[in-house]
Amino acid sequence: MDAHSRGRAEEIDPADQWVLNPHTGDYELRLNHSGRESSDDSPAPNPPHSRSRGDGESRTRAPEVPAQRSRRSARDASPEPPAAGRRKRKPATSRRKKVLLWTGGVMAFVVVAGSAGAYALYQKFNGNLSTVDVGDAGNKSVTSDGPLNILVIGTDKRTGAGNEGYGDKGSAGHADTNILFHVSADRTNATAMSIPRDLITDIPDCTTKQSDGSEKVIPGTQNVRFNVSLGQEGRDPGCTMRTVKEITGLSVDHFMMVDFNAVKTLSSAVGGVKVCLDKAVKDRDSHLDLPAGESTIEGEDALAFVRTRHSFGNESDLDRIKVQQQFIGSMIRQMKSDDTLTDPTKLFGLADAATKALTVDSGIGSIKKLTSLAQELGKIDTKNITFVTMPVIDNPDEPTPVTVVEHPTKADQLFATLRSDTSLTEVKKQEKAAEDKQQAVLKGTKADPADVRVDVLNGGDTAGAAQATVTWLQNEQGVLKSTNKANAPSKIAKTTLAYAPNQADQARALAAMMGLPATALKQGTTDAEGLQAMVLTLGADFKGAGVPVTGEVKAPEDIQKASADKAVCAK
């Protein structure tokens, strides 16, 4: 069976039934060849088992996706030119490259919904989804103009048939597997950072929504494992999101949570996931039994693979994280393969399994919202998705360490890389571009200090930073037109200087005095009027008045990284 005989109505590609309306900017469903949506809601007649093509070849047609409406074939009439305004059909390969099915298949339904063209499918998948209102822990907007941070949580809650023997008996589930998926502002790359479940950290207070609609504040806890940020003491995924922000300084926009059952059902829905082992494994705890080399696994074997701990590396959770990253990367490649993308039956099963297994925040709690999110994620090529693990060291407070703590230098280096939206796939190239940009921006005429006019706000953690800076500017640099404007509306990670186009010479002068990098300079679009001042907002990177602010951040050079487009054998 080939692409011409799958899920088509008389060889019309289902994806081409969704047409962009240039007047509204939305995709509209057009079920017949005239470009008008059919008003016939009657069930589609049973299609013939096979049909003959002009070349004499008989091709068996796959069953139609449920609720797909019948359409008349324009091929039965005389050939005629396409109707004006109709979208030209694109090659299948170009469409496939625009679709990214990532992190265990949570976006798979988008392909099905877009190609099936059936309202009933939307209703079905909407009914499958489970949602949690995380309040202000997340972002109510589906997408944003800047970077996007999505927390993927794998919980060890024992849901689903056959999972009774896994996890802690009677537990509400922990944040067992955690991946912060950082998508760049330009949607060209992403970093998937795993956070170890055994990381010792502080969990902040968090407000949770109760079943009766009321709110309950769960008190924070210090020096505990990261995995208790979910499920324990009534904590919901919003608590895990707040904990991630506390650790990294990155606001989490949305979460997606799956359980043990998701691994089994999704791996089966794609027809199995290819994995590679450096040596044969027969693990008595997870019951994984695989030979050395490549294997295709699904169901219970897939779950055993991602849960196996004592057969890989030094038997730590950190080595298990590497294996999980390899599994997810392989699943992404499988879902992007022709075998999956051209098979509507497989896609439907994958979408159904994914939405049943998925719990999300209310900000993306519908198929429409998830489709919008998928369009953003679909812009990323898998070669530009980098898996990395948060840098940690053994807990020095334990005689025999079983938990870990943040690496004293590398962890914040990596967090700063994410906060500055620097891709791990092209760090060297971006660093060179940043240096060139800095030289170009800072090169030029500088205003006399007496002509520099600036308002200073404190958006960092150092108390009195704004006043200290103003005092230094006035007394040491001669910037007499500097004013302390107290605290900024919110904390920021990096110092910024906002200025108007006609204040560029002032901005260059102030940047030179303070050692600001070009990335800190934010030029507006309209000229300043009268006595309008520039706005300097001190961030967490501010070390003190007169101390140069550091330039472009750099990722740690010796951290373990893996690309989603490359297969690696587990050791």
Side-chain angles (χ1 to χ4, degrees):
M1 186 184 298
D2 65 7
H4 291 289
S5 58
R6 292 189 177 108
R8 307 277 178 90
E10 303 297 323
E11 294 188 311
I12 299 300
D13 191 305
D16 285 337
Q17 297 162 10
W18 286 88
V19 181
L20 178 66
N21 185 330
H23 301 294
T24 65
D26 295 325
Y27 281 91
E28 297 178 354
L29 177 61
R30 297 182 181 177
L31 295 180
N32 58 27
H33 290 197
S34 67
R36 297 184 300 271
E37 181 170 348
S38 172
S39 60
D40 181 12
D41 290 329
S42 59
N46 293 329
H49 181 69
S50 64
R51 63 185 296 273
S52 296
R53 294 165 52 92
D55 57 7
E57 182 181 359
S58 177
R59 299 187 184 274
T60 303
R61 297 179 59 195
E64 293 187 0
V65 179
Q68 187 170 0
R69 298 176 182 176
S70 61
R71 293 164 292 278
R72 295 183 60 189
S73 173
R75 294 183 183 271
D76 295 337
S78 299
E80 59 184 24
R86 282 188 59 187
R87 184 183 67 172
K88 291 183 179 180
R89 179 176 171 183
K90 297 180 180 179
T93 53
S94 67
R95 287 194 305 273
R96 291 168 196 155
K97 290 179 181 177
K98 294 181 180 179
V99 181
L100 175 64
L101 307 177
W102 61 281
T103 323
V106 296
M107 292 298 124
F109 66 88
V110 176
V111 181
V112 179
S115 61
Y119 174 74
L121 277 181
Y122 281 96
Q123 294 296 91
K124 174 179 175 60
F125 293 150
N126 267 326
N128 286 349
L129 283 172
S130 297
T131 63
V132 175
D133 185 351
V134 296
D136 61 2
N139 186 351
K140 297 300 181 184
S141 173
V142 178
T143 59
S144 62
D145 293 333
L148 192 62
N149 296 306
I150 303 168
L151 181 62
V152 181
I153 305 172
T155 174
D156 58 359
K157 184 177 181 180
R158 300 179 305 136
T159 54
N163 297 325
E164 296 82 2
Y166 302 134
D168 297 334
K169 185 175 181 179
S171 171
H174 302 77
D176 196 56
T177 298
N178 310 276
I179 300 176
L180 180 61
F181 199 78
H182 173 84
V183 183
S184 66
D186 61 8
R187 306 302 188 250
T188 62
N189 62 84
T191 299
M193 184 184 73
S194 294
I195 302 174
R197 66 174 192 177
D198 295 329
L199 173 72
I200 295 299
T201 189
D202 295 339
I203 299 174
D205 295 348
C206 64
T207 302
T208 61
K209 291 289 183 69
Q210 305 301 300
S211 56
D212 61 0
S214 63
E215 294 185 347
K216 179 181 179 181
V217 177
I218 310 297
T221 309
Q222 286 70 49
N223 276 336
V224 293
R225 290 186 179 183
F226 179 89
N227 69 344
V228 301
S229 64
L230 174 71
Q232 312 311 301
E233 300 182 26
R235 295 189 178 101
D236 64 13
C239 299
T240 309
M241 295 167 72
R242 288 183 172 90
T243 304
V244 170
K245 182 178 181 180
E246 187 87 358
I247 295 170
T248 66
L250 289 159
S251 294
V252 181
D253 297 291
H254 304 289
F255 85 85
M256 296 178 176
M257 183 169 67
V258 294
D259 57 20
F260 286 163
N261 223 41
V263 178
K264 296 194 292 187
T265 58
L266 292 173
S267 60
S268 295
V270 296
V273 177
K274 292 181 181 179
V275 297
C276 181
L277 298 181
D278 192 57
K279 62 180 185 299
V281 169
K282 191 168 185 177
D283 192 282
R284 64 180 183 181
D285 294 320
S286 68
H287 306 298
L288 180 67
D289 187 358
L290 291 177
E294 188 175 274
S295 298
T296 299
I297 58 175
E298 62 178 277
E300 292 290 346
D301 287 337
L303 180 59
F305 183 81
V306 298
R307 294 191 73 248
T308 295
R309 175 171 180 166
H310 299 295
S311 295
F312 298 123
N314 61 6
E315 302 186 20
S316 71
D317 189 52
L318 298 179
D319 283 299
R320 175 163 57 181
I321 285 175
K322 294 178 187 177
V323 173
Q324 292 170 345
Q325 292 173 346
Q326 293 163 15
F327 179 85
I328 293 172
S330 181
M331 180 174 277
I332 290 174
R333 295 191 296 274
Q334 175 62 25
M335 286 185 289
K336 285 175 65 67
S337 70
D338 290 350
D339 289 344
T340 302
L341 291 179
T342 60
D343 189 333
T345 302
K346 184 177 289 186
L347 277 175
F348 178 84
L350 180 57
D352 193 38
T355 49
K356 284 179 179 177
L358 194 62
T359 299
V360 300
D361 61 281
S362 53
I364 52 173
S366 71
I367 297 303
K368 181 178 180 179
K369 293 178 180 179
L370 279 172
T371 301
S372 296
L373 180 60
Q375 289 171 344
E376 295 292 298
L377 301 176
K379 302 171 185 177
I380 311 170
D381 193 310
T382 51
K383 70 180 181 181
N384 292 329
I385 300 176
T386 304
F387 288 101
V388 66
T389 302
M390 172 183 166
V392 294
I393 59 173
D394 288 340
N395 189 350
D397 293 334
E398 295 177 343
T400 305
V402 294
T403 60
V404 294
V405 296
E406 291 182 31
H407 190 286
T409 57
K410 294 180 183 179
D412 194 59
Q413 264 189 288
L414 180 58
F415 302 156
T417 302
L418 298 178
R419 290 195 298 264
S420 66
D421 201 24
T422 301
S423 168
L424 294 186
T425 59
E426 297 180 327
V427 171
K428 298 287 185 185
K429 181 179 178 181
Q430 289 198 5
E431 287 173 356
K432 179 63 168 60
E435 291 174 3
D436 293 343
K437 177 183 176 184
Q438 180 170 349
Q439 294 303 318
V441 172
L442 299 181
K443 184 178 181 181
T445 304
K446 297 179 178 64
D448 187 272
D451 295 327
V452 174
R453 189 182 298 273
V454 61
D455 291 339
V456 183
L457 292 84
N458 186 6
D461 299 319
T462 304
Q467 183 56 53
T469 298
V470 168
T471 300
W472 176 76
L473 286 172
Q474 292 179 347
N475 297 337
E476 303 293 334
Q477 301 298 314
V479 183
L480 302 179
K481 299 172 185 176
S482 52
T483 306
N484 176 12
K485 291 294 184 178
N487 291 331
S490 60
K491 296 287 185 69
I492 61 172
K494 299 180 72 62
T495 298
T496 62
L497 176 61
Y499 65 99
N502 60 342
Q503 295 173 323
D505 56 344
Q506 295 184 47
R508 283 190 285 267
L510 189 63
M513 296 175 201
M514 299 193 60
L516 293 175
T519 51
L521 275 59
K522 310 296 180 184
Q523 181 176 298
T525 57
T526 58
D527 284 345
E529 297 180 359
L531 302 179
Q532 181 179 338
M534 300 183 295
V535 178
L536 173 67
T537 305
L538 305 174
D541 58 352
F542 176 76
K543 302 296 190 300
V547 180
V549 177
T550 56
E552 188 73 13
V553 297
K554 297 184 178 181
E557 294 183 355
D558 54 350
I559 57 174
Q560 177 268 332
K561 295 187 293 184
S563 176
D565 69 330
K566 291 181 174 60
V568 180
C569 290
K571 297 182 179 181

